[in-house]
């Protein structure tokens, strides 16, 4: 369709590069030939939502892994740890940037970005 998209497992939207109080400053914006991509605050991004497959996630089987939790650009908000130390996505905060899917050590990943419903 000619629309831009990301494949998180290959290259996520690296929200972590955003500068505090200056919005998005990523290569995709400057590379866009039509200026269709404009800077926004990272909290306003809506690319999708991360979903953790508890049947695949190592942490849900008692192994130690916090890759998705520690790499989330919204520390202790987008992905939180429940009372048992298991990662849980907060869909109200998650932007769907895909960093969690990108860093997941499982192959295929236990956390994937899906379209919002």
């Amino acid at each position: 369709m000619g629309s831009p998209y990301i494949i998180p497992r290959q290259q996520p939207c690296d929200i972590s590069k955003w500068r505090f109080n200056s919005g998005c400053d990523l290569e995709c914006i400057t590379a866009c030939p039509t200026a269709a991509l404009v800077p926004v605050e990272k909290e306003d991004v809506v690319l999708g939502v991360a979903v953790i497959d508890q049947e695949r996630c190592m942490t849900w089987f008692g192994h130690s892994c916090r890759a998705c939790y520690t790499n989330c650009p919204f520390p202790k908000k987008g992905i939180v740890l429940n009372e048992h130390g298991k990662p849980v996505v907060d869909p109200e905060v998650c932007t769907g940037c895909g960093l969690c899917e990108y860093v997941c050590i499982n192959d295929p990943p236990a956390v994937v970005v899906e379209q919002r419903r």
Side-chain angles (χ1 to χ4, degrees):
M1 293 179 58
S3 297
Y5 63 94
I6 63 170
I7 301 172
R9 195 63 169 171
Q10 294 175 10
Q11 180 63 52
C13 174
D14 196 352
I15 284 179
S16 65
K17 290 183 180 177
W18 292 21
R19 293 186 174 85
F20 185 70
N21 288 332
S22 67
C24 184
D25 188 24
L26 299 176
E27 295 172 11
C28 56
I29 288 179
T30 56
C32 181
T34 65
L37 300 176
V38 296
V40 297
E41 295 301 318
K42 70 179 181 179
E43 292 83 4
D44 295 332
V45 172
V46 181
L47 298 172
V49 65
V51 176
I52 297 173
D53 182 348
Q54 295 175 6
E55 299 291 319
R56 298 194 45 74
C57 178
M58 292 177 55
T59 306
W60 284 87
F61 286 100
H63 301 283
S64 179
C65 179
R66 290 191 174 178
C68 62
Y69 173 74
T70 59
N71 283 280
C72 180
F74 299 96
K76 300 178 183 174
K77 295 179 185 174
I79 297 180
V80 298
L81 299 178
N82 70 12
E83 63 276 1
H84 303 291
K86 315 285 191 235
V88 179
V89 174
D90 182 342
E92 297 297 318
V93 177
C94 178
T95 63
C97 70
L99 281 168
C100 54
E101 182 175 341
Y102 183 72
V103 299
C104 182
I105 62 174
N106 280 2
D107 190 24
V111 56
V112 295
V113 175
E114 296 182 352
Q115 286 183 320
R116 289 189 179 268
R117 298 173 205 249

